[in-house]
Structure formats: C-alpha cells, structure tokens
Amino acid sequence: MTSARGDDRHNRGGTAAEAAPEEGYERGLGSRQVQMIAIGGAIGVGLFLGAGANIEKAGPSLILMYALAGVIVFFIMRALGELLLYRPVSGSFAEYAREFLGPFWGFVTGWTYWLLWVVTGMAELTAAAIYVNYWVPDLPQWVTAFAFLVLLYIANLISVKLFGEIEFWFSMVKVTALIGMIVIGLGVVTFGFSAAGDTASASNLWAHDGFFPKGVGSSLMTLQGVMFAYLAVELVGVTAGESENPEKTLPKAINTLPFRIIVFYVGALSVILMVVKWTEFQAGVSPFVAAFAKIGIPAGAAIVNFVVLTAALSSCNSGMYSTGRMLRDLASNGEAPKFFGRLSASKTPAIGITLSVALMGIGVVLNYVVPEKAFGYVTSVATAAGIWTWMMILVSHILYRRGVVAGRLPTSSFPAPGGAVCSWIALAFLVMVTVFIALDPDGRISLYVGAGWAVFLSVGWAVLKFRDPQIAARAGAGAVEPPAHTERERV
C-alpha cells in the first residue's frame, strides 16, 4: 500500500482491514522460495551457535526444551495461519493487532517487530564474525560484521526476487548440511567409525549425571534461548503480500513446521549429543562444529562452519527484508514518517531498509567494544521483542475467533485446530518464559531495554495523537463490524 493510499484510507475513517494485500509490492516470491524461507526460518544461529551455551546449562534435557517450545511455536503459527488466510497482508502482525486491539497496539507491535529484526540482525552479524574467526582468528570481528552488513544491504535493494533467491540457496545449504550431519552422526553411533566412534552412544543422553544433569529448573531457564532459536518462523507472515499464491503456499509452509522441528532441532541435537557427551560443549562454540571436529572427518568442521555462517547471513538477510516492510506498513497507517512508505523503482522499501541497516550497524560497534558479550546482549533483547510479537498474534487470534463465533467476521479457509484453546495455552507459556527472563541476571537486560522501549513508544504515540487525533480514534475492525472483503482481497 502506498503512503498516499494509507492517508486516503485514514481520512475516510476506514480500517486497516480495507487495504488490499498487494500494496504496490511485486509478487515475486514463488512457492519454492516461500517454502525454503519457511524452512530457513526454522534453522538459524540460535540452533547453530546458541545451542552450545544451552547444552552447557541443561545437558541432554535441552532436547526436551526444544520439543516443548516447538509445540508452542506450532500453536502460534497455526493461529497466524488462520489470520493470514482470513486476510493476507504484508506487515500482518501489526495489521492484525491494529484490527482487533486498536491502533495503539498496531503501532506498538509494528515498531517492536521492527526492533526485533534490527537487533536480530546485530546478533547474526556477530555470529557471522565469530564463524569467520574460525578461519581467520586475527581478523577483528567488527571488520567482518561490517563487510557482511554492506553486502546484504546492497542485495536487498535490488529486488524481492533476489532476496527470495538468496534465501532459497541459503536455506538449501542449511537443510542439506543438517540432513548430512544427522546421517553421518547416526553412522558414527551405529557403526562406530571415526575418532568419536569409541565413545559415541545413545547412552550419552543419560549416562553423564542423567538426562537433567543440572536439574529441571536449570533446563527451564534455557527456554529463553530456545525461543530465540525459533524466531523467524513467523517470517512467512511478512511474505504474504509478496507471495504469488498465499492461499496455497502459506498453509503448506505452516503445516510442515512440526516435521522441520522434529528433524532439524530434536533430531539434530539428539544425534550430536549421542556422538559427543554434553560435558564437552561450551558457550561461544557451535556444537555442530565441535562435534565434527571430534569425529575427525577431513575438513568436516570447516564445512560445518561454512554452513552455520550461511545460517547467520540468511537470518540477517531476512531481517533487512522484514524491517523495510514493517516500516512501510507503519507509514501507510500514519504511524511512521510518510517517506518510509515509498517504493523504489525495483518495488522495494529502500528508505526503510536503509534506516534499519544503519541501526544494525550498532551491532558492528558492539563487536568492537564488547565482542565477547555482543551475542548475548542482542539475543536477549530480540527474544523479548519476539515474545511480544507472538503474544500479539495469539491475542489477535483469540479475538478473531470471538468475532467468528459471534458471526461478525468471516471464517478463514485455514482454521487453527482447537479454535482459541491452543492460543491460550501458548499465551500462558510465553508469560512463563517472560518470568524466566526476569529471573535470569543475564537475560534481565532485555526487560530493562523493553521498559525503555515502552516509554519511547508511549511518548511517540502521544505525539502522534497530538498531531492527528483521528489516528487514535480509529477502532479495531474486529471489535466493530466485519470488514468489507472483496474477492480481490481474499486471493
């Protein structure tokens, strides 16, 4: 949607629900690209690098934490899927919060999701720099982080098709490599070949102080890091406005999520922890790189390091993509400067991408000032922002279901199983994770940042209301009457 269109809709007193999903974007993402973006979103630096610190804290029980969190993430994605097929729009998280909770909540959700990807981009740049240090240990982290930032920025300005192709091949590398790791790991455990063959065994999952070596409480405290690993699965919602056929591609992408979680998280971690006992892993080192170094396959650790590097760059690439789209959605609703609503000649929100990339540069500074702590700081902030976004998806879904039951809203072609029940369960789980973050001295910084961010957004909203009172006067569409969906909007 262009900025002018957003202003016109606002002046008519219309709702966000009246916008058509095309929004001026090029529908340049085909089915194979959307599928691989969805798969790639479930395989990121949180697994490849963050799992090392979590294994150190929880031991083999981390497998159970990933499985538990995976169930909750599937509930969230089915809730989002029902909303997406009810009304597929780019910038969907903010749009649904705006429709069902009111304009203030759309404003907060849009800006918070933008923050999520800015700080996630910082985390991914940090991780990428750490991986490059595997080959070039004397190269400063900030130099590598800056180089990757510039390269991905240029790629995102060219076209959405290029973004889709980059994500497709990044994801292809990750998927192929993970499957290869699992097969090789199972071969080591089953047939005992390689340098790790003598000690590799399924008994490594319980033989060293049990399945919960640090206690159940310590395992639960890793959930904040585990949830960070799942950030980006919701990215398929941002692609809705640029997908060729969202009615077919989005349900398929969401329904295959449990399979991806079982294989790429539960399966891969189980194999790694059978090959190498959990006590040999540590924070700051990818458990996959460490495991293949232990196996002793020639160049195996270097190959895995390349794979995890692509995972980090993939996520950073996604961050640049989503931040520009979210800023454009905010601009179209009068909640961000109008110039963020402009599209370039290649139909990309170049101004929004540019601002986001500039702020991601703070991650480069962190890598210069505190390289040993940069990853932990930014992942905790990203997790808190992600939990907020997921909460807004769940609350919007619950309110949408109420509207459907009351006959005020049309039913979606992709209803979530159990209606709103699973959304309530997922919401309670996210509240529990937030409590764990508050109890963790290292993770608590994210709540401090969140409090400051809330104050900043409240001041920003007050300024918006002062300049244009009609922005705050708009009611959520779901709370008033069903939006007038045209056939064009439903496709």
Side-chain angles (χ1 to χ4, degrees):
M1 90 189 51
T2 64
S3 179
R5 180 178 179 179
D7 292 340
D8 178 61
R9 189 184 69 218
H10 167 63
N11 293 334
R12 294 194 319 266
T15 68
E18 292 170 342
E22 288 84 349
E23 301 169 334
Y25 289 123
E26 176 187 9
R27 287 195 176 273
L29 296 178
S31 176
R32 70 180 178 88
Q33 293 168 326
V34 172
Q35 293 298 321
M36 291 307 287
I37 287 171
I39 293 172
I43 309 170
V45 71
L47 171 64
F48 283 128
L49 180 61
N54 289 323
I55 290 172
E56 191 176 23
K57 294 176 182 177
S61 64
L62 183 64
I63 298 169
L64 181 60
M65 296 302 104
Y66 271 106
L68 175 61
V71 172
I72 298 302
V73 168
F74 180 63
F75 289 167
I76 295 169
M77 289 303 295
R78 282 305 303 258
L80 176 60
E82 183 166 4
L83 292 171
L84 286 171
L85 271 296
Y86 149 70
R87 185 166 66 89
V89 288
S90 188
S92 55
F93 319 122
E95 280 291 319
Y96 299 136
R98 193 176 290 118
E99 177 177 347
F100 296 105
L101 292 164
F104 172 73
W105 299 101
F107 170 80
V108 171
T109 301
W111 278 108
T112 301
Y113 193 68
W114 171 81
L115 175 68
L116 182 160
W117 274 110
V118 168
V119 295
T120 298
M122 295 179 192
E124 308 299 357
L125 288 170
T126 300
I130 291 172
Y131 297 144
V132 170
N133 279 355
Y134 177 86
W135 294 297
V136 193
D138 295 330
L139 183 66
Q141 283 185 203
W142 72 269
V143 173
T144 309
F146 180 73
F148 286 138
L149 183 71
V150 172
L151 289 174
L152 292 177
Y153 168 63
I154 293 172
N156 266 270
L157 291 184
I158 295 177
S159 73
V160 69
K161 286 185 177 180
L162 179 59
F163 160 79
E165 280 301 308
I166 290 174
E167 280 306 292
F168 176 84
W169 290 109
F170 273 160
S171 296
M172 184 67 75
V173 168
K174 291 187 288 187
V175 169
T176 304
L178 264 181
I179 292 175
M181 292 177 201
I182 292 172
V183 171
I184 292 172
L186 287 175
V188 172
V189 173
T190 304
F191 302 108
F193 65 81
S194 87
D198 294 338
T199 57
S201 170
S203 64
N204 283 333
L205 297 179
W206 60 82
H208 306 284
D209 298 323
F211 190 70
F212 291 90
K214 299 292 185 71
V216 175
S218 181
S219 298
L220 290 174
M221 289 297 289
T222 64
L223 282 173
Q224 56 180 304
V226 170
M227 296 308 287
F228 172 77
Y230 285 120
L231 291 182
V233 294
E234 76 289 330
L235 185 63
V236 292
V238 182
T239 68
E242 294 171 273
S243 301
E244 291 178 352
N245 192 346
E247 291 279 354
K248 292 183 178 179
T249 57
L250 295 179
K252 184 178 180 181
I254 292 171
N255 278 336
T256 55
L257 181 61
F259 171 77
R260 299 197 301 271
I261 289 172
I262 291 171
V263 173
F264 299 130
Y265 280 91
V266 177
L269 277 176
S270 297
V271 170
I272 289 296
L273 289 171
M274 284 190 286
V275 171
V276 181
K277 60 183 180 180
W278 72 270
T279 54
E280 297 187 23
F281 296 110
Q282 60 185 3
V285 178
S286 169
F288 294 90
V289 174
F292 272 74
K294 177 80 172 180
I295 290 173
I297 296 177
I303 293 172
V304 175
N305 197 66
F306 171 75
V307 172
V308 297
L309 173 62
T310 65
L313 296 179
S314 169
S315 187
C316 187
N317 188 43
S318 297
M320 293 181 187
Y321 169 86
S322 58
T323 50
R325 273 71 183 172
M326 194 56 67
L327 285 178
R328 187 165 185 257
D329 174 75
L330 289 164
S332 70
N333 284 278
E335 298 164 356
K338 292 181 180 179
F339 54 77
F340 285 129
R342 299 172 188 164
L343 290 177
S344 67
S346 58
K347 296 185 179 181
T348 61
I351 298 176
I353 293 173
T354 300
L355 172 67
S356 303
V357 169
L359 292 176
M360 285 180 191
I362 295 174
V364 177
V365 177
L366 285 175
N367 276 281
Y368 178 76
V369 179
V370 284
E372 71 284 353
K373 296 183 178 180
F375 185 77
Y377 284 162
V378 293
T379 54
S380 64
V381 174
T383 301
I387 286 175
W388 171 267
T389 301
W390 288 339
M391 283 181 171
M392 289 298 99
I393 292 172
L394 294 169
V395 172
S396 297
H397 178 251
I398 290 168
L399 294 177
Y400 164 71
R401 291 297 307 177
R402 288 181 182 176
V404 171
V405 172
R408 292 184 286 104
L409 293 174
T411 57
S412 170
S413 61
F414 187 49
V421 174
C422 291
S423 291
W424 278 113
I425 295 172
L427 197 59
F429 180 88
L430 294 180
V431 171
M432 179 184 71
V433 173
T434 304
V435 172
F436 292 153
I437 292 175
L439 295 174
D440 182 4
D442 294 329
R444 200 176 298 152
I445 187 175
S446 65
L447 299 184
Y448 298 145
V449 173
W453 181 246
V455 171
F456 177 77
L457 290 181
S458 297
V459 172
W461 183 250
V463 172
L464 278 178
K465 286 198 300 181
F466 177 78
R467 294 179 59 185
D468 188 354
Q470 290 186 5
I471 288 179
R474 289 184 301 166
V480 183
E481 60 184 10
H485 293 280
T486 65
E487 184 63 27
R488 178 169 173 259
E489 291 175 312
R490 295 288 295 150
V491 175

